[in-house]
Amino acid sequence: MTGERSMPLLTLPTGRLLTASIAGPLGVGGLWLLIGGTVCTWETGLTGLWSGLIVAAVGVGADLLVGPWRPRPAVSWMSLWILHSMLRVGGSIGLVILLYFASSPDPANLLFAYLACSLVGLAWETTVWTEPLRNAGRDATREQQAE
């Protein structure tokens, strides 16, 4: 308990986190629309765009639910990161399954479009989540070495 109280309070860069949640999946979905729509059919391309929209919407919802603007100790952020990831993956998979049963697109196309959008969003969000935590760890290490 005393270790958590002595930790500095951190906030996450909310704007960058929301940008990662929106731009990554929508960028991949847009590319899927352009490439799939010109090479295959527009239905193939639209499946990618819908996957990007779903992943982005669920990601923004999870971001806002976690409240990255609130100052918290680093230990709390690590627990919230797990919760955030579970909400993002679980929520987006649930909505993609609903999309599948509502419109019956090609299953392989839907799966790979979802995976591409989701992995790009996950990779970008991971860099945003870990940067403040790495910086706080570096600062704490420097302070200990200075003592």
Side-chain angles (χ1 to χ4, degrees):
M1 279 292 193
T2 58
E4 186 173 328
R5 288 184 188 157
S6 65
M7 289 183 155
L9 298 177
L10 305 171
T11 59
L12 296 181
T14 306
R16 288 182 50 219
L17 189 62
L18 290 172
T19 301
S21 294
I22 295 168
L26 284 182
V28 172
L31 281 173
W32 200 281
L33 174 66
L34 290 175
I35 295 170
T38 56
V39 174
C40 296
T41 64
W42 284 109
E43 182 182 328
T44 299
L46 284 174
T47 301
L49 184 61
W50 276 108
S51 296
L53 286 169
I54 288 171
V55 172
V58 172
V60 168
D63 292 344
L64 296 176
L65 185 67
V66 167
W69 56 88
R70 293 188 189 122
R72 293 187 174 102
V75 174
S76 297
W77 282 121
M78 299 310 291
S79 300
L80 286 172
W81 188 12
I82 294 169
L83 173 68
H84 178 270
S85 297
M86 290 174 61
L87 287 172
R88 224 173 55 82
V89 171
S92 60
I93 285 176
L95 288 176
V96 166
I97 289 171
L98 286 175
L99 174 66
Y100 175 74
F101 285 114
S103 63
S104 298
D106 176 38
N109 182 33
L110 180 63
L111 172 68
F112 289 116
Y114 167 74
L115 285 176
C117 294
S118 187
L119 290 176
V120 167
L122 177 66
W124 195 346
E125 285 183 7
T126 298
T127 61
V128 174
W129 271 84
T130 58
E131 184 181 357
L133 300 174
R134 283 180 292 161
N135 291 340
R138 262 188 238 124
D139 293 343
T141 302
R142 287 183 189 139
E143 288 175 9
Q144 287 177 350
Q145 289 175 348
E147 293 176 355

